[in-house]
Amino acid sequence: MNRTRFATLLLAPAAAASLAGCGVNSIPTAEESAKAKWADVQAAYQRRANLIPNLVATVKGAAASEQNILVGVTQARADATKIQLSGDQIGDPAAMQRYADAQNRLTLSLQRLQEAYPQLRSQENFQTLMSQVEGTENRINISIQDYNKAVQDYNTEIRTFPSVIGAKVFYGAKPMAPYQATTPNAEQAPTIDFGNSAR
Amino acid sequence: MLKRLALAASLAAALAGCDRGPPSPEAFARHAPALTGRVVDQAQLLAPADEQALAAQSAAIERETGAQFVVVTLASLEGRSIEDYSVRLGRRWGIGRKGVDDGLMLVVAPAERKVRIEVGYGLEKRVTDPFAAKVIREQLVPRFKEGRFAEGVRAGSDALAARLRSRMSDAQIARLDGAAT
């Protein structure tokens, strides 16, 4: 009896030590990492949104025609900035999809804008702004890759033995949703209607 | 009692060995060059004298500012965009100081006719997007179009070096470049 109690006593710290490597620490760490990466994604999108009013003003000043494309950009920007996703919502694929759809529509409207005004490419103001929009879109892509990698790590962590024990027992951990930057065939089937797309 | 002990012991044994090894480095391109120096001329665009001058310039910049500047020419982008390839290469090589993220890469892919200036997060206020675009537009592209690759790389590198050495404040640079803050 005495010997057994002693053994159990020894076992407790041993179990605690091995549990530490089994999801008790690694699950919240992976979760916080994914949330931080998601904040980077939103910051990059916000940075792009902040550039757009100046871009629209520049185009307006240089080319008065085709106002509806500009209206489309402004509208898409307003829609995109309305949706924010907190770290706790990134386990919700539907909310994630709404966010992505709004951002993707803005991406498309910016592409339309560039295509509509080829003559602006040689304009210094436009180049300055566009270089920043493009640079920001690169940052968006990188932050999405980093976020998706963190989500993959987290989802793997909570599903693989032995962390799966910690995930079930201690945290009730739910998988997180990866981010889909571009909808399939987005180029061929634009979802945005500028009002005069008679093609 | 013995049975419970055995169970606990086997559970402990099962839970041990949770340590996983470190993740293996990401393979992104089969023919990505190794970081052999401050100038990695995989596409063989540069004469030895150019390489030496560029390497000396890079060393001077690092001595004076701490920033790490690398010139890379690539034989192929292996089907990737130059933006994607450059970021992955820079991360694999670990250009720029940890925590400062002050790496700068001038990447040329002559086969795909692409060029890129990859800027670490820590240098974005010095080498702004509009400035990098201007260097590409005014220093690199016109010379590359005439096949004068080494000359273009030297001119672009000079412009970047001057900017890294600039005494201007971040705010002054933003105003000069027309960059959003």
Side-chain angles (χ1 to χ4, degrees), chain B residues 102-117:
Chain B
D102 55 352
L104 184 64
M105 288 163 71
L106 174 54
V107 186
V108 185
E112 288 86 357
R113 301 175 66 84
K114 296 281 179 207
V115 58
R116 173 152 180 84
I117 295 171

PDB file of all heavy atoms in Angstrom, chain B residues 102-117:
ATOM      1  N   ASP B 102      15.683  43.724 -41.595  1.00  0.00           N
ATOM      2  CA  ASP B 102      16.183  44.770 -42.483  1.00  0.00           C
ATOM      3  C   ASP B 102      16.948  44.186 -43.666  1.00  0.00           C
ATOM      4  O   ASP B 102      18.054  44.605 -43.979  1.00  0.00           O
ATOM      5  CB  ASP B 102      17.054  45.764 -41.700  1.00  0.00           C
ATOM      6  CG  ASP B 102      18.191  45.073 -40.953  1.00  0.00           C
ATOM      7  OD1 ASP B 102      18.204  43.815 -40.920  1.00  0.00           O
ATOM      8  OD2 ASP B 102      19.062  45.767 -40.405  1.00  0.00           O
ATOM      9  N   GLY B 103      16.327  43.200 -44.307  1.00  0.00           N
ATOM     10  CA  GLY B 103      16.911  42.622 -45.515  1.00  0.00           C
ATOM     11  C   GLY B 103      16.390  43.332 -46.759  1.00  0.00           C
ATOM     12  O   GLY B 103      15.280  43.858 -46.771  1.00  0.00           O
ATOM     13  N   LEU B 104      17.229  43.352 -47.790  1.00  0.00           N
ATOM     14  CA  LEU B 104      16.849  43.979 -49.058  1.00  0.00           C
ATOM     15  C   LEU B 104      17.411  43.116 -50.179  1.00  0.00           C
ATOM     16  O   LEU B 104      18.590  42.772 -50.170  1.00  0.00           O
ATOM     17  CB  LEU B 104      17.421  45.398 -49.114  1.00  0.00           C
ATOM     18  CG  LEU B 104      17.074  46.260 -50.319  1.00  0.00           C
ATOM     19  CD1 LEU B 104      15.584  46.552 -50.372  1.00  0.00           C
ATOM     20  CD2 LEU B 104      17.864  47.568 -50.282  1.00  0.00           C
ATOM     21  N   MET B 105      16.555  42.744 -51.115  1.00  0.00           N
ATOM     22  CA  MET B 105      17.020  41.913 -52.227  1.00  0.00           C
ATOM     23  C   MET B 105      16.654  42.541 -53.561  1.00  0.00           C
ATOM     24  O   MET B 105      15.522  42.966 -53.759  1.00  0.00           O
ATOM     25  CB  MET B 105      16.382  40.512 -52.155  1.00  0.00           C
ATOM     26  CG  MET B 105      16.914  39.630 -51.031  1.00  0.00           C
ATOM     27  SD  MET B 105      15.797  38.242 -50.725  1.00  0.00           S
ATOM     28  CE  MET B 105      16.048  37.252 -52.172  1.00  0.00           C
ATOM     29  N   LEU B 106      17.622  42.576 -54.456  1.00  0.00           N
ATOM     30  CA  LEU B 106      17.358  42.960 -55.845  1.00  0.00           C
ATOM     31  C   LEU B 106      17.360  41.670 -56.651  1.00  0.00           C
ATOM     32  O   LEU B 106      18.384  40.997 -56.753  1.00  0.00           O
ATOM     33  CB  LEU B 106      18.438  43.938 -56.331  1.00  0.00           C
ATOM     34  CG  LEU B 106      18.406  44.351 -57.798  1.00  0.00           C
ATOM     35  CD1 LEU B 106      17.052  44.903 -58.201  1.00  0.00           C
ATOM     36  CD2 LEU B 106      19.479  45.397 -58.080  1.00  0.00           C
ATOM     37  N   VAL B 107      16.191  41.301 -57.163  1.00  0.00           N
ATOM     38  CA  VAL B 107      16.035  39.997 -57.815  1.00  0.00           C
ATOM     39  C   VAL B 107      15.751  40.192 -59.308  1.00  0.00           C
ATOM     40  O   VAL B 107      14.828  40.920 -59.677  1.00  0.00           O
ATOM     41  CB  VAL B 107      14.888  39.186 -57.174  1.00  0.00           C
ATOM     42  CG1 VAL B 107      14.828  37.789 -57.763  1.00  0.00           C
ATOM     43  CG2 VAL B 107      15.063  39.110 -55.657  1.00  0.00           C
ATOM     44  N   VAL B 108      16.553  39.550 -60.146  1.00  0.00           N
ATOM     45  CA  VAL B 108      16.378  39.659 -61.592  1.00  0.00           C
ATOM     46  C   VAL B 108      16.172  38.269 -62.186  1.00  0.00           C
ATOM     47  O   VAL B 108      16.949  37.355 -61.924  1.00  0.00           O
ATOM     48  CB  VAL B 108      17.627  40.313 -62.249  1.00  0.00           C
ATOM     49  CG1 VAL B 108      17.374  40.533 -63.736  1.00  0.00           C
ATOM     50  CG2 VAL B 108      17.989  41.612 -61.560  1.00  0.00           C
ATOM     51  N   ALA B 109      15.105  38.118 -62.956  1.00  0.00           N
ATOM     52  CA  ALA B 109      14.835  36.848 -63.636  1.00  0.00           C
ATOM     53  C   ALA B 109      14.759  37.124 -65.134  1.00  0.00           C
ATOM     54  O   ALA B 109      13.678  37.382 -65.668  1.00  0.00           O
ATOM     55  CB  ALA B 109      13.536  36.233 -63.125  1.00  0.00           C
ATOM     56  N   PRO B 110      15.908  37.090 -65.842  1.00  0.00           N
ATOM     57  CA  PRO B 110      15.926  37.511 -67.247  1.00  0.00           C
ATOM     58  C   PRO B 110      15.074  36.609 -68.151  1.00  0.00           C
ATOM     59  O   PRO B 110      14.474  37.098 -69.104  1.00  0.00           O
ATOM     60  CB  PRO B 110      17.413  37.427 -67.623  1.00  0.00           C
ATOM     61  CG  PRO B 110      18.026  36.530 -66.605  1.00  0.00           C
ATOM     62  CD  PRO B 110      17.234  36.714 -65.355  1.00  0.00           C
ATOM     63  N   ALA B 111      14.980  35.324 -67.828  1.00  0.00           N
ATOM     64  CA  ALA B 111      14.219  34.419 -68.694  1.00  0.00           C
ATOM     65  C   ALA B 111      12.745  34.822 -68.735  1.00  0.00           C
ATOM     66  O   ALA B 111      12.109  34.779 -69.788  1.00  0.00           O
ATOM     67  CB  ALA B 111      14.369  32.983 -68.206  1.00  0.00           C
ATOM     68  N   GLU B 112      12.216  35.226 -67.588  1.00  0.00           N
ATOM     69  CA  GLU B 112      10.808  35.631 -67.523  1.00  0.00           C
ATOM     70  C   GLU B 112      10.643  37.136 -67.706  1.00  0.00           C
ATOM     71  O   GLU B 112       9.526  37.652 -67.674  1.00  0.00           O
ATOM     72  CB  GLU B 112      10.194  35.214 -66.176  1.00  0.00           C
ATOM     73  CG  GLU B 112       9.957  33.708 -66.021  1.00  0.00           C
ATOM     74  CD  GLU B 112      11.183  32.963 -65.512  1.00  0.00           C
ATOM     75  OE1 GLU B 112      12.244  33.618 -65.333  1.00  0.00           O
ATOM     76  OE2 GLU B 112      11.103  31.742 -65.302  1.00  0.00           O
ATOM     77  N   ARG B 113      11.769  37.840 -67.864  1.00  0.00           N
ATOM     78  CA  ARG B 113      11.770  39.304 -67.979  1.00  0.00           C
ATOM     79  C   ARG B 113      11.073  39.946 -66.778  1.00  0.00           C
ATOM     80  O   ARG B 113      10.203  40.806 -66.928  1.00  0.00           O
ATOM     81  CB  ARG B 113      11.101  39.747 -69.284  1.00  0.00           C
ATOM     82  CG  ARG B 113      11.780  39.183 -70.525  1.00  0.00           C
ATOM     83  CD  ARG B 113      11.032  39.535 -71.787  1.00  0.00           C
ATOM     84  NE  ARG B 113      11.038  40.977 -72.067  1.00  0.00           N
ATOM     85  CZ  ARG B 113      12.016  41.614 -72.694  1.00  0.00           C
ATOM     86  NH1 ARG B 113      13.083  40.952 -73.083  1.00  0.00           N
ATOM     87  NH2 ARG B 113      11.942  42.897 -72.929  1.00  0.00           N
ATOM     88  N   LYS B 114      11.445  39.512 -65.597  1.00  0.00           N
ATOM     89  CA  LYS B 114      10.861  40.065 -64.378  1.00  0.00           C
ATOM     90  C   LYS B 114      11.975  40.575 -63.468  1.00  0.00           C
ATOM     91  O   LYS B 114      13.082  40.026 -63.452  1.00  0.00           O
ATOM     92  CB  LYS B 114      10.080  38.993 -63.607  1.00  0.00           C
ATOM     93  CG  LYS B 114       8.881  38.455 -64.341  1.00  0.00           C
ATOM     94  CD  LYS B 114       7.712  39.408 -64.256  1.00  0.00           C
ATOM     95  CE  LYS B 114       6.531  38.841 -65.018  1.00  0.00           C
ATOM     96  NZ  LYS B 114       5.639  39.865 -65.526  1.00  0.00           N
ATOM     97  N   VAL B 115      11.634  41.610 -62.723  1.00  0.00           N
ATOM     98  CA  VAL B 115      12.584  42.136 -61.744  1.00  0.00           C
ATOM     99  C   VAL B 115      11.799  42.560 -60.510  1.00  0.00           C
ATOM    100  O   VAL B 115      10.631  42.945 -60.610  1.00  0.00           O
ATOM    101  CB  VAL B 115      13.393  43.317 -62.343  1.00  0.00           C
ATOM    102  CG1 VAL B 115      12.474  44.420 -62.812  1.00  0.00           C
ATOM    103  CG2 VAL B 115      14.379  43.859 -61.334  1.00  0.00           C
ATOM    104  N   ARG B 116      12.435  42.434 -59.359  1.00  0.00           N
ATOM    105  CA  ARG B 116      11.732  42.791 -58.125  1.00  0.00           C
ATOM    106  C   ARG B 116      12.718  43.283 -57.078  1.00  0.00           C
ATOM    107  O   ARG B 116      13.849  42.808 -57.003  1.00  0.00           O
ATOM    108  CB  ARG B 116      10.976  41.580 -57.588  1.00  0.00           C
ATOM    109  CG  ARG B 116      10.361  41.815 -56.223  1.00  0.00           C
ATOM    110  CD  ARG B 116       9.133  40.970 -55.989  1.00  0.00           C
ATOM    111  NE  ARG B 116       8.585  41.238 -54.669  1.00  0.00           N
ATOM    112  CZ  ARG B 116       7.771  42.237 -54.393  1.00  0.00           C
ATOM    113  NH1 ARG B 116       7.421  43.095 -55.333  1.00  0.00           N
ATOM    114  NH2 ARG B 116       7.315  42.429 -53.171  1.00  0.00           N
ATOM    115  N   ILE B 117      12.257  44.248 -56.291  1.00  0.00           N
ATOM    116  CA  ILE B 117      13.022  44.686 -55.127  1.00  0.00           C
ATOM    117  C   ILE B 117      12.244  44.223 -53.909  1.00  0.00           C
ATOM    118  O   ILE B 117      11.126  44.689 -53.660  1.00  0.00           O
ATOM    119  CB  ILE B 117      13.223  46.216 -55.128  1.00  0.00           C
ATOM    120  CG1 ILE B 117      14.091  46.608 -56.340  1.00  0.00           C
ATOM    121  CG2 ILE B 117      13.875  46.673 -53.829  1.00  0.00           C
ATOM    122  CD1 ILE B 117      14.182  48.105 -56.573  1.00  0.00           C
TER     123      ILE B 117
END
